[in-house]
Amino acid sequence: MSAPTLEGNAVIGQGGGPTAVINQSLVGVIEGLIAAPEIGSIFGARHGVRGMIEDSFTELQALEQHTLDRLANTPSAGLGSTRDKPDAEYCQNIYKSLRGKNVRYFFYIGGNDSSDTCRLVNEAAKEGGYELRCFHVPKTVDNDLMENDHTPGFPSAARYVALQHMGDSLDNASIPGIKINIVMGRHAGFLTGAAAIARTHEDDGPHLVYVPERAFDLDTFASDVEKVYSRLGRCQITVSEGVQDKDGTAITTKFFQGETDAHGNVQLSGTGALGDQLSAFLKEKLTPKGGKAPRVRADTLGYAQRCWPDASRVDQREAREAGRFAARCALTGQSDGSVAIKRDSTDPYRSHLERVELTSVAAKTRHLPEDHINSEGNHMTDAFVQWLRPLVDELPRFERI
Amino acid sequence: MSAPTLEGNAVIGQGGGPTAVINQSLVGVIEGLIAAPEIGSIFGARHGVRGMIEDSFTELQALEQHTLDRLANTPSAGLGSTRDKPDAEYCQNIYKSLRGKNVRYFFYIGGNDSSDTCRLVNEAAKEGGYELRCFHVPKTVDNDLMENDHTPGFPSAARYVALQHMGDSLDNASIPGIKINIVMGRHAGFLTGAAAIARTHEDDGPHLVYVPERAFDLDTFASDVEKVYSRLGRCQITVSEGVQDKDGTAITTKFFQGETDAHGNVQLSGTGALGDQLSAFLKEKLTPKGGKAPRVRADTLGYAQRCWPDASRVDQREAREAGRFAARCALTGQSDGSVAIKRDSTDPYRSHLERVELTSVAAKTRHLPEDHINSEGNHMTDAFVQWLRPLVDELPRFERI
């Protein structure tokens, strides 16, 4: 059976926080479409859905292979991204804009909010009786998409977090003290957990890891730190920016009144507040009566986590392939879907791609599996480390004297 | 004339903030001493001068070459470091400790405080009529040692700052807003300035760079940012943690009461306070009447600057050679000194090492040359960029669409 041919133009957009490999997926989609005779123009939407409603597009089909290759290796969203979270009306406008440009193929690279946008645009087109093939290409450093073993963007961010912790643990051993590292991840602790693969020796940092999946209690935290500090004379701690108390209140809001975005989310990244407040808290709690306060420092890892220009090679390859796969699905007549990475084996590492329903990904959040967090809720398990290791390429090996 | 032979043991210590290549210098000294028949034991002092007065040493002469090579490539201070700043009495105790172990060769790897320690120990030994060859091996990410074109540790830190800004500028272009990056450097702006080599296109970030060598005025700052922001719709700003007002008061102290260390220095690193306060300041200043506040974020680059485990190759080579050179000076009969890197040419890049007097380096601070800062005091000049470029290895090249 040959695929039904649908002639028209294509649009590609990028949404949400950028990653080190989101342009790999963009290039993958372009590569997947470029030779298809039924595709007219390939439009890139500037700043995602915003460019679609503001009619801001750039043509991509004439880009040469050497340009595509260099674009693929460029971190952050080459087309520009947006934090807009379209509702049904906004998506109606996207649909009308696309229809007006004779677009029959719509690809949106992003996280779970972006897959929901894809779903809504798809519905609007269906209601309008207009055939529009809508595909979501996964991307998020948070790794919180359902159906996926892991998502493009996460392995590169995980590699950055691991390398940062490796260097920082040696720094902490060299001038002993208490060191807090705040890692991105609002609801899911995958990226924070990545710090755990920095360890080689039993006494390497991180000594404690706190993820949003477990209730964070300030007193338990202080007591955990004290135990490590009295044993080793130092303590490196990894804390997710999204840690919450048992009632689901973000710990950072106990200290800090930040701004909220269009999604109603409190600002967590781009501020050092949580780290500084946890520092001050520990300093006060752990100063013996009449004694000297311990040396406590905090780093908030920041946007380098998602755009550090040295991506994981596994991540680069999979992100590119995910884009190509979405193009192939659309060209072979499938009407909509999201692309998911499925793992076949860990050693040797092998994965494949599958088309999954938009509704099974859209606006949902995946969390760390139970067996990836230790029973005390203050570190990761070996199962997590084994799962993560093949994704981050080789890590350097260091010497001790 | 053959060199006078002095039989005895050697001690090596590491002081101050660690770097990505301080172990290269440690290994360089060991390699320089290991074959000399007049050297008995090579002791490594644990945590610098503190290990010397607490009799905490480890023997280094039996380390095999493959171990030394891996140690050299390990970031941070392998022997441990210290923030102790010895006075004359402390140095008397160091001298007595060294004499008690029949140490005749003393190597201290560190910044300007460490070179002053070296000078004081040297004086104590001279007063005691004890021949002790004292050599300082330079190290500091701040690049603030006199007599040096640049210091080991700085090129690797500069590379990290450049790469972080390259990725971050693309991130800022993708989701436009105002982004502040706080970079290490208490008195000297070399490391902050390194952000400037991240630029390829005229509108790439960083758009503004503020170093401690120029008075920082909050109103001028706000007006600089507004100009860029209204022209480009975004603005990436690099600010040294040590920026000061015209009276020499650190800007961070206007906002924040931090702790002070044994040197009387206010805590600047290990807190996100300065970035957060400058964010809040800009948000308030740049919100139009009745209008929407601009998106302002701040990252404080943190300890990754000094211990990121992917050093500049030029830096690795020069740091190793500086250690070997110090050993050679001591073994050929010179009684004391510091090692300085002198540049021979920029293109192609060539440098050589020289012995300089301890007093010309000790406790002094080098600043950015006048012609490395632009006349407005808000960016670096081409002269600075040309000077820096050969030190940081090749940087990635990115694509725009």
Side-chain angles (χ1 to χ4, degrees), chain B residues 198-211:
Chain B
R199 301 176 82 189
T200 305
H201 303 92
E202 185 275 330
D203 60 347
D204 280 341
H207 306 104
L208 297 166
V209 179
Y210 298 94
V211 294

Side-chain angles (χ1 to χ4, degrees), chain A residues 299-312:
Chain A
D299 276 335
T300 302
L301 270 63
Y303 289 148
Q305 292 166 91
R306 64 188 198 195
C307 285
W308 183 252
D310 183 20
S312 142

Side-chain angles (χ1 to χ4, degrees), chain A residues 13 146 155 162 176 211 262 269 301:
Chain A
M146 299 298 285
V211 294
S269 293
L301 270 63

Side-chain angles (χ1 to χ4, degrees), chain A residues 135-159:
Chain A
F135 280 83
H136 169 245
V137 185
K139 168 261 21 158
T140 169
V141 299
D142 292 337
N143 202 49
D144 60 353
L145 294 192
M146 299 298 285
E147 299 280 350
N148 287 270
D149 175 75
H150 61 278
T151 35
F154 167 70
S156 296
R159 180 175 168 81

Side-chain angles (χ1 to χ4, degrees), chain B residues 364-380:
Chain B
K364 289 178 180 161
T365 300
R366 177 178 166 227
H367 295 283
L368 278 165
E370 281 291 318
D371 70 338
H372 281 191
I373 310 167
N374 75 357
S375 55
E376 297 90 343
N378 62 14
H379 222 299
M380 310 309 291

